[in-house]
């Protein structure tokens, strides 16, 4: 879409939720609109504010603006990375796209696999921006823009928004007033994300975040909501009963499907759609959930981002608990005796050591630890595994990390890594492949600005997070529903990877092919050793699953 004289053109993927107020502002400034679309707001916003337009948009977006008067191209990605954007140069061609699969289709054999990118995948389960699995192809990080001259000169990416927490001080509001403000902020965000002329649904797992979104939707829409969920035959992995409980309490319709083991048949299609290897096994139920929802509605809201925004992951307590325990031990020992000697002994033992933040983060995000990765790589490639991961280095040091409590620091790291490159990538690809639009009210500037300054006691108490979301839901759903053990949205991977099961056979078939690129990268005997360990213990699917994904992805060819 272009401006009046055609000198400014935009290609846009996403939604701008505050486009109506921006449109009114731009009309008052003299701009003339010919449509009611949010896309045209970006065009005229760029005319008015230049690259500063990105700071005025509330929504999810990746866009390219060509300014033919200035002979410049601007690429920009939303603050939290809800929508992806890849770019780079192959030969003499400079390109950008929303999906790596598009780049792979166009350039094919000209793309070279990045060993550092593969190693990041084995370590984290995904490849984090700016790195990708291909040499000379980069992903624009969240909250960044980049410009280039149309003659090919490229600037470096510029950060326009940092998802950092703090400074965190004690709130002047009481707990009750903070809870009321939380309800208002979340309700306003849900309402803003409901701007559309098509029917809406909601992803409802029965967990805290999706139930919170469904509750606000039911209030705003008078209960006229279709909810969608996925269950499993294996009860230990299925939250279907909680989704039913939530839907019944809210008076909304629940539509569900149950995934069985034969769902692995879609893996080649799913892996191909992601463009680069991606090891979060919840991609499989997310794929099926998107397919189910699209049979009924073109658009849904989801609760993604609630764990990162309001401290919902159990792992957040690891660093805080270990370091808190060491602090208390130090105080006791100082009062009781020869504390310098005892402290030295305690710190020398693995159980006694307090964890530095980078050490804890590196421990928690490993799919395959460094030693296991080293044993996999062929000797000529092992130098790749020592490469630092730029996304994690940036996230660990962003903002004022020394001023943050341990839980807030972890939240900030997740906002810079796990959220955009795992959670959001998973949902974007799965939903777009089925023509479904997914909106995320808990990943929103207004919600984040509220959450980033919450004191620890309003995020995390007694080793348990999501203080405000749980209090908000408590009166409607009761304490047993709100405070039950957290479940993930993952497949029964340990069971499905056992010998003789379809998933295991898919891995064996991929490895049996002499053309499988994994033979060039890895020691096959090391892979076989991992398979034997899983057969003996049933607990090595965390390592086997990424190898299956990588084998299928690599076997697809360019």
């Amino acid at each position: 879409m272009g401006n009046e004289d055609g000198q400014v053109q935009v290609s846009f993927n996403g939604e701008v939720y505050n486009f109506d107020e921006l449109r009114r502002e731009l009309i008052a400034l003299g701009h003339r609109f010919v449509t009611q679309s949010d896309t045209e707001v970006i065009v005229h916003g760029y005319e008015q504010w230049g690259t500063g337009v990105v700071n005025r948009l509330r929504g999810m977006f990746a866009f390219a603006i060509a300014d033919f008067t200035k002979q410049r191209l601007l690429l920009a990605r939303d603050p939290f990375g809800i929508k992806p954007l890849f770019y780079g140069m192959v030969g003499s061609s400079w390109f950008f796209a929303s999906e790596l699969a598009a780049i792979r289709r166009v350039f094919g054999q000209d793309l070279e696999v990045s060993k550092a990118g593969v190693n990041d995948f084995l370590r984290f389960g995904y490849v984090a921006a700016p790195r990708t699995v291909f040499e000379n192809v980069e992903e624009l990080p969240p909250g960044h823009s980049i410009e280039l001259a149309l003659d090919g000169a490229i600037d470096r990416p510029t950060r326009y928004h940092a998802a950092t927490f703090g400074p965190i001080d004690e709130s002047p509001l009481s707990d009750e007033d903070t809870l009321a403000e939380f309800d208002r902020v979340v309700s306003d965000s849900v309402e803003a994300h409901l701007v559309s002329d098509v029917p809406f649904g909601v992803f409802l797992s029965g967990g805290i975040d999706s139930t919170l979104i469904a509750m606000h939707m039911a209030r705003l829409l008078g209960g006229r909501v279709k909810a969608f969920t996925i269950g499993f035959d294996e009860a230990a992995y299925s939250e279907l009963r909680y989704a039913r409980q939530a839907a019944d309490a809210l008076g909304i319709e629940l539509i569900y499907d149950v995934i069985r083991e034969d769902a692995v048949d879609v893996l080649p299609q799913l892996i191909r759609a992601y463009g680069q290897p991606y090891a979060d096994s919840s991609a499989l139920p997310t794929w099926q959930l998107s397919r189910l929802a699209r049979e009924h509605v073109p658009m849904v809201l989801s609760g993604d981002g609630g764990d990162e925004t309001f401290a919902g992951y159990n792992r957040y307590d690891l660093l805080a608990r270990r370091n808190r325990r060491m602090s208390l031990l130090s105080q006791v020992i100082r009062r009781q005796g020869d504390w310098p000697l005892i402290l030295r002994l305690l710190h020398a033992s693995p159980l006694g050591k307090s964890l530095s933040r980078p050490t804890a983060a590196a421990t928690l995000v490993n799919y395959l630890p460094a030693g296991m990765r080293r044993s996999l790589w062929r000797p000529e490639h092992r130098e790749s595994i020592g490469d630092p991961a730029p996304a994690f280095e940036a996230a660990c040091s962003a903002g004022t990390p020394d001023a943050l409590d341990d839980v807030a620091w972890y939240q900030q790291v997740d906002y810079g890594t796990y959220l955009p490159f795992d959670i959001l990538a998973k949902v974007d690809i799965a939903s777009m492949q089925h023509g479904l639009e997914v909106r995320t009210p808990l990943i929103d500037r207004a919600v984040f600005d509220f959450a980033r300054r919450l004191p620890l006691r309003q995020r995390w108490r007694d080793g348990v997070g999501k203080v405000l979301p749980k209090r908000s839901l408590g009166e409607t759903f009761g304490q047993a529903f709100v405070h039950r053990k957290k479940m993930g949205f993952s497949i029964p991977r340990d069971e499905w990877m056992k010998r003789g099961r379809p998933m295991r056979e898919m891995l064996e078939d991929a490895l049996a092919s002499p053309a499988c690129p994994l033979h060039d990268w890895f020691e096959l005997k090391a892979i076989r050793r991992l398979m034997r360990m899983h057969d003996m213990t049933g607990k090595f699917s965390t390592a086997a699953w990424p190898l299956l994904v990588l084998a299928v992805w690599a076997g697809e060819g360019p």
Side-chain angles (χ1 to χ4, degrees):
M1 182 175 288
N3 65 344
E4 296 91 334
D5 62 8
Q7 290 302 297
V8 175
Q9 299 283 339
V10 66
S11 177
F12 167 53
N13 174 31
E15 296 286 338
V16 177
Y17 306 126
N18 63 335
F19 77 95
D20 195 45
E21 63 184 77
L22 291 175
R23 186 176 186 275
R24 291 195 299 270
E25 182 179 356
L26 288 163
I27 288 173
L29 290 168
H31 293 268
R32 181 169 58 85
F33 283 75
V34 295
T35 75
Q36 299 293 322
S37 81
D38 55 351
T39 308
E40 194 174 7
V41 165
I42 298 174
V43 174
H44 293 294
Y46 172 79
E47 286 184 298
Q48 184 66 40
W49 303 303
T51 59
V53 65
V54 292
N55 290 305
R56 292 177 170 262
L57 304 177
R58 180 183 187 181
M60 55 181 186
F61 55 82
F63 63 74
I65 294 177
D67 185 332
F68 293 106
T69 300
K70 296 181 178 179
Q71 288 290 292
R72 301 284 289 176
L73 181 72
L74 170 69
L75 305 181
R77 187 177 182 187
D78 66 66
F80 306 114
I82 303 172
K83 288 295 180 182
L85 184 52
F86 301 94
Y87 69 95
M89 180 169 282
V90 173
S92 60
S93 299
W94 200 93
F95 59 84
F96 59 92
S98 290
E99 298 182 6
L100 272 175
I103 298 168
R104 199 176 184 188
R105 168 170 286 193
V106 171
F107 292 102
Q109 297 287 351
D110 293 330
L111 294 175
E112 180 184 349
V113 172
S114 163
K115 302 298 190 304
V118 171
N119 192 66
D120 279 359
F121 163 74
L122 294 175
R123 180 180 177 187
F124 306 123
Y126 53 85
V127 188
R131 190 174 281 164
T132 72
V133 76
F134 296 116
E135 298 287 357
N136 301 318
V137 181
E138 294 192 9
E139 181 176 3
L140 190 66
H144 281 69
S145 63
I146 186 172
E147 288 189 87
L148 75 152
L150 294 185
D151 64 7
I154 306 172
D155 296 340
R156 294 305 305 161
T158 300
R159 181 188 291 277
Y160 70 85
H161 180 273
T164 54
F165 280 72
I168 297 175
D169 302 309
E170 278 301 307
S171 171
L173 299 177
S174 67
D175 284 355
E176 292 304 316
D177 288 341
T178 302
L179 179 61
E181 180 66 5
F182 166 81
D183 284 331
R184 183 195 66 77
V185 168
V186 173
S187 181
D188 285 351
S189 182
V190 170
E191 186 172 20
H193 285 69
L194 286 173
V195 175
S196 179
D197 55 1
V198 300
F200 266 98
V202 63
F203 285 164
L204 180 61
S205 69
I208 297 298
D209 305 322
S210 64
T211 303
L212 180 70
I213 298 303
M215 180 177 73
H216 283 284
M217 285 183 72
R219 291 173 179 174
L220 290 165
L221 300 177
R224 301 185 307 276
V225 178
K226 291 181 184 292
F228 305 94
T229 195
I230 291 290
F232 297 93
D233 278 342
E234 293 84 356
Y237 292 84
S238 183
E239 289 189 287
L240 185 54
R241 62 191 181 278
Y242 298 114
R244 286 175 173 146
Q245 184 179 339
D248 289 345
L250 296 173
I252 62 179
E253 179 184 2
L254 180 66
I255 301 167
Y256 68 91
D257 197 0
V258 175
I259 288 188
R260 296 177 175 84
E261 199 168 358
D262 58 5
V264 300
D265 291 343
V266 307
L267 271 179
Q269 180 186 0
L270 183 156
I271 292 169
R272 182 168 56 250
Y274 277 80
Q276 63 182 345
Y278 172 82
D280 189 334
S281 64
S282 65
L284 185 56
T286 302
W287 183 274
Q288 303 289 54
L289 179 61
S290 297
R291 176 194 55 75
L292 174 67
R294 188 60 186 92
E295 293 173 357
H296 300 270
V297 295
M299 197 174 299
V300 296
L301 301 191
S302 84
D304 289 325
D307 286 310
E308 294 83 3
T309 306
F310 296 105
Y313 291 124
N314 295 332
R315 66 174 181 267
Y316 289 162
D317 198 37
L318 175 64
L319 177 65
R321 187 174 65 249
R322 293 276 297 269
N323 289 349
R324 188 165 57 246
R325 184 183 301 138
M326 287 307 301
S327 176
L328 291 173
L329 277 173
S330 298
Q331 295 175 33
V332 170
I333 292 168
R334 285 188 179 95
R335 292 194 297 267
Q336 297 299 323
D338 188 4
W339 61 268
L341 174 61
I342 301 173
L343 267 184
R344 283 196 297 273
L345 292 172
L346 275 172
H347 278 282
S349 71
L351 292 178
K353 287 184 179 179
S354 58
L355 297 176
S356 70
R357 287 173 170 177
T359 299
T363 301
L364 291 174
V365 299
N366 275 340
Y367 260 72
L368 277 69
M372 189 178 292
R373 295 197 307 275
R374 178 173 290 277
S375 70
L376 281 174
W377 284 106
R378 293 173 66 89
E380 62 266 31
H381 300 311
R382 284 176 184 163
E383 72 279 359
S384 301
I385 72 168
D387 290 346
F392 275 86
E393 290 187 329
C396 287
S397 60
T400 54
D402 292 341
L404 302 181
D405 60 73
D406 289 332
V407 172
W409 181 81
Y410 258 125
Q411 290 177 264
Q412 179 172 293
V413 170
D414 271 345
Y415 250 91
T417 55
Y418 183 65
L419 179 63
F421 308 125
D422 187 306
I423 300 298
L424 295 177
K426 170 186 65 183
V427 175
D428 182 72
I429 293 293
S431 60
M432 289 290 96
Q433 289 293 311
H434 291 90
L436 179 73
E437 181 175 322
V438 179
R439 298 182 178 182
T440 54
L442 296 180
I443 308 173
D444 173 80
R445 280 192 172 190
V447 175
F448 180 76
D449 286 344
F450 167 79
R452 66 184 293 270
R453 290 188 171 88
L454 287 173
L456 181 62
R457 64 182 175 82
Q458 292 174 340
R459 289 176 286 117
W460 193 275
R461 287 185 191 172
D462 301 322
V464 180
K466 288 188 183 172
V467 171
L468 294 174
K470 290 176 179 177
R471 288 192 62 199
S472 181
L473 290 176
E475 292 184 4
T476 302
F477 293 93
Q479 297 305 303
F481 180 94
V482 168
H483 292 288
R484 71 182 190 269
K485 183 179 179 180
K486 181 177 177 62
M487 292 178 66
F489 190 45
S490 59
I491 62 175
R493 196 173 53 198
D494 285 343
E495 290 295 316
W496 291 5
M497 191 60 77
K498 287 182 177 177
R499 185 180 294 279
R501 307 290 280 268
M503 183 182 292
R504 176 63 171 272
E505 290 181 350
M506 186 178 293
L507 175 57
E508 296 285 358
D509 289 344
L511 292 175
S513 170
C516 179
L518 267 62
H519 297 175
D520 297 329
W521 303 341
F522 303 138
E523 298 279 10
L524 192 57
K525 62 182 180 182
I527 298 177
R528 296 294 183 195
R529 186 164 55 246
L530 285 177
M531 296 299 98
R532 289 195 298 272
M533 292 297 293
H534 185 69
D535 291 338
M536 288 188 292
T537 67
K539 299 298 181 184
F540 273 73
S541 71
T542 300
W545 172 261
L547 292 172
L548 168 60
V549 170
L550 190 59
V552 174
W553 175 84
E556 286 289 326

